[in-house]
Amino acid sequence: MQEFKFEVCANSVESCLAAQEGGASRVELCAGIPEGGTTPPYGDIVTARKYLTKTKLHVIIRPRGGDFLYNDLEKEIMLQDVENAKHLGADGVVFGCLTADGQVDMPFMQQLMKAADGLSVTFHRAFDVCKEPKVALEQIIELGCDRILTSGQGETAEIGIPLLKELQQQAAGRIILLAGCGVKEHNIARIARETGIREFHFSAREAADSGSFIRDERLGMGGKPDQTTARRVAETIHSLSV
């Protein structure tokens, strides 16, 4: 089997540990999954770093949900969050910034890259709303990012297969494409086969049990959020070996 790498989008330290148990190459630790992922709390980063002994720890740097056009205050926060992640021993960081017209924000990205020196850098799915993805690919390569997380600008990576294939060919080994969004046990092999991509991003989450007897579903606080399970991580990885 060709070598593949698997990144799990982890919404908690528990999800990080499940990803490690299931055989993930690395985790992208984030909060705010419903918003597409936001910077996780300091305590989560510290604790995840303590217990992740076999799996790389990457931290998303995103101060809020919504678009990827940031004001000066948000940019200051992002630069500090990169420094925090580095200080706390993260192996990598994940970020992406755009201009108002959907281009890569090169000046600020250069600042972030300087702050992230020594860490692996992934440009996240801000790429999927870039106006000109093939131009953006060249700019991100120029910046020195290690990989791009993308669904090929599709609703899911499976839908985005045509563009993913074109981007993989254009990249020609100069940057890693990390296929993500809707990657599951039943489609990961097809995405790999039809695009040539060798790194995959997925969450492998399931409903989590809660020990609380006090629940009020009307308030939206009726239990624990879905969490990554080692079983689903392992099954997704296994799907590429059969």
Side-chain angles (χ1 to χ4, degrees):
M1 181 181 73
Q2 290 178 274
E3 182 179 357
F4 294 101
K5 289 189 177 180
F6 305 95
E7 175 180 282
V8 169
C9 177
N11 61 347
S12 65
V13 177
E14 288 176 276
S15 287
C16 286
L17 298 183
Q20 178 169 255
E21 182 182 347
S25 312
R26 63 179 174 268
V27 298
E28 178 200 56
L29 177 60
C30 56
I33 291 289
E35 289 79 43
T38 55
T39 307
Y42 187 99
D44 279 14
I45 303 172
V46 171
T47 309
R49 179 69 289 163
K50 178 180 178 181
Y51 291 106
L52 287 176
T53 57
K54 299 181 292 184
T55 298
K56 299 288 187 182
L57 172 62
H58 288 199
V59 175
I60 193 170
I61 306 297
R62 188 171 176 230
R64 57 166 172 78
D67 62 26
F68 305 99
L69 175 66
Y70 299 110
N71 62 34
D72 289 343
L73 185 59
E74 290 169 332
K75 289 178 178 180
E76 183 176 345
I77 292 168
M78 292 175 75
L79 288 167
Q80 183 59 60
D81 282 336
V82 171
E83 292 293 343
N84 290 346
K86 181 187 292 187
H87 175 71
L88 296 176
D91 299 295
V93 284
V94 182
F95 48 67
C97 308
L98 305 181
T99 62
D101 61 349
Q103 308 294 326
V104 176
D105 184 346
M106 293 295 282
F108 185 52
M109 281 295 300
Q110 288 167 348
Q111 292 183 56
L112 286 169
M113 292 300 293
K114 183 177 180 180
D117 184 46
L119 300 178
S120 180
V121 175
T122 300
F123 192 100
H124 61 41
R125 290 191 64 219
F127 180 86
D128 287 326
V129 293
C130 283
K131 186 176 180 180
E132 302 173 284
K134 293 184 178 179
V135 172
L137 174 65
E138 297 299 330
Q139 292 177 316
I140 295 167
I141 290 171
E142 179 185 339
L143 285 165
C145 295
D146 296 286
R147 68 187 59 77
I148 299 172
L149 170 60
T150 175
S151 64
Q153 298 204 329
E155 185 178 349
T156 66
E158 188 171 20
I159 293 172
I161 282 175
L163 182 57
L164 286 173
K165 181 178 179 179
E166 292 179 15
L167 293 170
Q168 177 75 348
Q169 292 171 343
Q170 179 183 340
R174 296 175 296 157
I175 194 169
I176 297 165
L177 289 186
L178 173 63
C181 188
V183 174
K184 301 182 184 296
E185 299 91 330
H186 71 272
N187 62 19
I188 189 171
R190 180 192 173 202
I191 298 168
R193 182 176 64 253
E194 296 189 17
T195 66
I197 288 174
R198 292 294 176 264
E199 294 204 5
F200 298 92
H201 171 99
F202 53 88
S203 62
R205 291 197 302 272
E206 296 184 282
D209 291 330
S210 171
S212 175
F213 295 111
I214 303 175
R215 303 185 186 187
D216 191 335
E217 303 292 347
R218 300 172 303 162
L219 304 179
M221 296 180 285
K224 297 176 71 173
D226 293 353
Q227 292 181 338
T228 298
T229 65
R231 180 189 63 79
R232 284 205 64 198
V233 172
E235 287 181 358
T236 305
I237 291 173
H238 181 68
S239 297
L240 278 176
S241 63
V242 295

